[in-house]
Amino acid sequence: LHEPEVGSKFGEVQELMDVLYQCEDVRDHLNELAELCTRASGFMGTGWAAEEKVDNMDAHAALCAEAYEAILVKHPKFKPKIEQTIGHGLAVLRQKHKFKWGTMHRYFF
């Protein structure tokens, strides 16, 4: 774009869309993991009609936490949106499966 002001704004919008796309991917994965944890406990937590548990939940949680940290480092301007999506997703998963990540104290863990 030949106008510098428009070009810089367009670059910011592109970066924003890239960040949102990355956040959506990680958050969708976190939501799927939380859903699988819920289904593994069976009907209303009774164990009836329970599905199989995810065996490598620690590895999934660690990879999601690493992605969270990497996105925060790469895009510090969008920290509030990253925390709102991935950070809260990690907090929801933490309620279903106990694990640790670097900034879990922000979510009272």
Side-chain angles (χ1 to χ4, degrees):
L1 300 168
H2 64 72
E3 294 181 23
E5 292 175 7
V6 175
S8 67
K9 286 292 180 190
F10 186 72
E12 289 177 17
V13 170
Q14 280 183 315
E15 183 183 5
L16 171 67
M17 296 309 289
D18 290 344
V19 170
L20 291 177
Y21 184 74
Q22 293 173 35
C23 288
E24 177 190 22
D25 282 347
V26 177
R27 181 61 190 254
D28 283 347
H29 189 65
L30 288 167
N31 288 344
E32 289 293 327
L33 291 173
E35 180 69 23
L36 289 173
C37 287
T38 301
R39 290 183 180 185
S41 66
F43 180 72
M44 296 180 71
T46 62
W48 180 71
E51 294 187 12
E52 292 184 27
K53 291 185 176 185
V54 178
D55 294 331
N56 58 346
M57 185 64 78
D58 289 328
H60 281 280
L63 288 172
C64 289
E66 287 174 18
Y68 170 66
E69 296 295 335
I71 294 170
L72 276 175
V73 168
K74 189 174 180 184
H75 305 282
K77 288 192 316 188
F78 302 105
K79 183 178 180 179
K81 184 52 76 175
I82 295 167
E83 287 183 350
Q84 182 183 14
T85 55
I86 301 174
H88 289 165
L90 286 168
V92 168
L93 185 63
R94 173 73 167 74
Q95 293 172 354
K96 311 258 181 205
H97 177 77
K98 303 304 179 222
F99 65 98
K100 295 185 182 225
W101 77 97
T103 58
M104 62 190 234
H105 64 277
R106 291 186 187 151
Y107 305 97
F108 303 104
F109 293 120

